[in-house]
Amino acid sequence: MQNVMAEQQLYSDNSLLLDAREQHVPRGVVTAHPLVIERAKGSEVWDVEGNRFLDFVGGIGVLNVGHNHPAVVNAVTKQLGLVSHACFQVVAYPGYIELAQRLNRLVGNGQPFKSVFFTSGAEAVENAVKIARAHTQRAGIIAFDGAFHGRTLLGCTLTGMSQPYKQNFGPFPGEVYRLPFPNAFYDVSDEDCLKALDQLFAVQIAPERVAAIIIEPVQGDGGFLPAGADFMQALRRITEKHSILLICDEVQTGFGRTGRMFAFQHSEIVPDLITVAKSLGGGLPISGVVGKAAVMEAPLPGGLGGTYGGNALGCAAALAVLDVMEHDNLISRSNRLGEKLNAHLHQLAQKYACIGNVRGLGFMQAVEIIDFETKRPDSMMTQKILDCACQEGLLLIKCGLDRSTIRFLAPLVTTDSQLEEALHIFDIALARASGRFE
């Protein structure tokens, strides 16, 4: 009986569970907030002590349709009673094929496209690189400073941040090259980046040796930096000129987050390959590469796949997510909520000198926190703001090279009243962290 009572106390106390976490989970896995979540619904979560929080992290951009959306729960429950796992490399099943058909239409817009599914965003990125190299018979891959493409060995090689992603994990795969990413706030222009590409071609790798350029249309972990339409169009022209593939990493930006189904659509271009994950599964692990049919056919039979790639439960969840996106018109809602959030963040920037910049597309918005005297990134102030927001019931996380950007990744199903409540809490957090009041 004492053991049962001790276990009940453990699982209803944040501090006891977090102590157990420290004992049994390595420090390499970071937990941003000192909370243990017990249940969730929509844009809200409750910890094991019963405290409610507004979740404006959304599993780091995974939950565009919110926690435990009934359509996703029903689809997965139904699939669980049919086939939970079979491995598509052994036998096919309807969900995988239907999901491929729907994504091909959404991305290709009438052009012939094909899709293959995996488990994580990093797997999607790695396989996009494999497909690009198979198609072009070239090795070089160009990525960007500040990019995040996953935590696998190739993923962190492509990632444009040193700590903590690279540290002493090398040696890293070769034939990966890097460019600066446009950042108007720090005076890095489109022209600067395109000149750097010309220089890269001139002194490091000739364009005829480059298989692909991979880019996030809006950098996620790098600071919520949008690549403008002019820059994306220039990249598309350059890649087409040199028969280089353009890969758009839509792992975080996809499925309505930026106010379009995919962020590349803001630039009116068609990439050769896109990677998808996160919100595709509505909380279940599934990812994919969607690409032009001729490119996708390059790997030999058996060259792609994975035991859990395109798992039947993940496919069922993804199909339900696409239904919800369409039936609830979440792309329109992303734009409306994004406009409201952006406008309010600009108002807060007038009120608090520590907000140096407000930026984003759709409901993918962020503020950069600076020292108001030096105008340099202020990571300590950023953390203070996040801690104060958490104490008041709002979950947010940081990003950027200096970890001085606060990102908003609330579900697209967030209600107007929830957004207003979150902005009120954020105002309080800014005031307390900056010393406006105690």
Side-chain angles (χ1 to χ4, degrees), residues 304-360:
L304 300 176
T307 301
Y308 293 102
N311 169 268
L313 299 177
C315 288
L319 289 167
V321 166
L322 295 180
D323 287 342
V324 172
M325 293 289 302
E326 179 181 349
H327 296 156
D328 294 355
N329 201 11
L330 290 187
I331 293 176
S332 175
R333 182 160 187 79
S334 173
N335 283 302
R336 189 171 69 80
L337 289 172
E339 289 173 4
K340 186 174 182 178
L341 175 58
N342 181 273
H344 200 105
L345 292 176
H346 273 100
Q347 291 175 9
L348 292 174
Q350 294 297 315
K351 184 177 180 181
Y352 298 101
C354 63
I355 298 180
N357 188 231
V358 177
R359 55 180 177 259

Side-chain angles (χ1 to χ4, degrees), residues 13 61 99 133 239 253 265 365 416 436:
D13 186 298
L99 181 59
R133 285 174 168 171
T239 52
T253 52
Q265 293 170 334
Q365 297 287 326
D416 290 354
R436 292 284 293 265

